[in-house]
Amino acid sequence: LKSLPFLLSGLFRVCEKNEDLFMNDRLSAMSNLAAIILAAGEAKRFGSPKQLLVYKGKTLVARAVEACLAAGAQQVVVVTGAHRQELENALQAHFSDPRVTLSHNERWAEGMHTSITCGMHALMTRQQNLQSILITLVDQPLVDASFLRKLAEEQQGADAAALSYPSGAGVPACFDAVHFQMLLNLTTSGGGAKGILRDPRLNIRLLDAPERRLDIDTFEDWNDFTRGQS
């Protein structure tokens, strides 16, 4: 019994050391995290560039950039397309940050998979030792830094982590480096990124957060959303 305090003290030190190692591993993984923000769409149904809608004093595209950086992304690529000049003007304040870059997708009209491959190529030329990549949309205003960080943490040790939808996994999502080559060569015939996320052979961790699914497609969607936030 006299030795019990010493045994407990030793056990506590071992547990504390293991916890430190676990946190160091997680911090190391997060230090090799990057993000792609898909902002190339025409927003035809909305009728104007929805990427530039202002929510809580900032445009949706600026909020997406700041969320990715706050989540721990060391590099952030914003993929532009139909409204390239407008987005470049809107993000002028972020150009002084070396972690943020814009990549123009000339094939934006062919589908979202072309924007993902465009963003991947831009990231691969900027940083070679990435372990995980977040892919997120610009028109989901309730996807914030805390949720993106949780995706990145959940992805550790898995092929990917993604937001859960009634139809299955979808974006935002975080992918392990083992799938980078597939993301660099996405095709519509292969199902795009969803082809990876919904492959039953892979370990995909789903995050159930229905409120994060909200996306802005029409002006009515925006009105409903802003009324609900007031």
Side-chain angles (χ1 to χ4, degrees), residues 39-52 61 78-91 102 104-105 108:
E42 186 179 6
K44 193 173 184 179
R45 292 177 61 195
F46 193 87
S48 62
K50 60 184 177 180
Q51 300 94 322
L52 302 181
V61 66
V78 181
V79 182
T80 64
H83 304 291
R84 177 183 186 178
Q85 191 58 57
E86 295 98 318
L87 294 186
E88 288 181 357
N89 293 340
L91 290 173
L102 276 72
H104 180 60
N105 176 20
W108 64 267

Side-chain angles (χ1 to χ4, degrees), residues 55-222:
Y55 175 51
K56 293 186 176 180
K58 296 176 182 177
T59 62
L60 293 187
V61 66
R63 289 179 64 84
V65 169
E66 292 179 0
C68 288
L69 291 173
Q74 299 303 300
Q75 294 289 332
V76 177
V77 171
V78 181
V79 182
T80 64
H83 304 291
R84 177 183 186 178
Q85 191 58 57
E86 295 98 318
L87 294 186
E88 288 181 357
N89 293 340
L91 290 173
Q92 193 68 41
H94 293 279
F95 279 0
S96 60
D97 192 324
R99 298 172 296 172
V100 181
T101 187
L102 276 72
S103 182
H104 180 60
N105 176 20
E106 295 181 351
R107 298 171 55 206
W108 64 267
E110 296 177 30
M112 190 182 294
H113 68 286
T114 64
S115 289
I116 294 174
T117 58
C118 176
M120 287 295 300
H121 281 286
L123 281 176
M124 293 298 100
T125 60
R126 291 174 64 86
Q127 190 168 344
Q128 300 296 318
N129 61 337
L130 293 173
Q131 293 181 5
S132 304
I133 288 181
L134 282 164
I135 297 179
T136 189
L137 302 174
V138 75
D139 62 354
Q140 291 181 301
L142 295 181
V143 171
D144 57 12
S146 64
F147 185 73
L148 293 176
R149 190 181 303 114
K150 188 174 182 181
L151 273 176
E153 290 173 350
E154 287 295 322
Q155 183 276 313
Q156 302 305 309
D159 290 287
L163 177 59
S164 176
Y165 291 82
S167 59
V171 289
C174 187
F175 295 85
D176 184 76
V178 71
H179 298 293
F180 287 2
Q181 197 58 43
M182 293 181 69
L183 292 170
L184 281 163
N185 296 284
L186 289 177
T187 62
T188 52
S189 61
K194 285 183 180 178
I196 301 173
L197 293 175
R198 301 185 182 182
D199 187 335
R201 298 168 297 179
L202 300 180
N203 178 15
I204 309 297
R205 293 177 181 162
L206 298 179
L207 274 67
D208 187 23
E211 71 282 2
R212 311 288 186 175
R213 299 173 189 158
L214 173 79
D215 65 342
I216 307 299
D217 283 331
T218 66
F219 194 71
E220 289 72 25
D221 291 339
W222 180 245

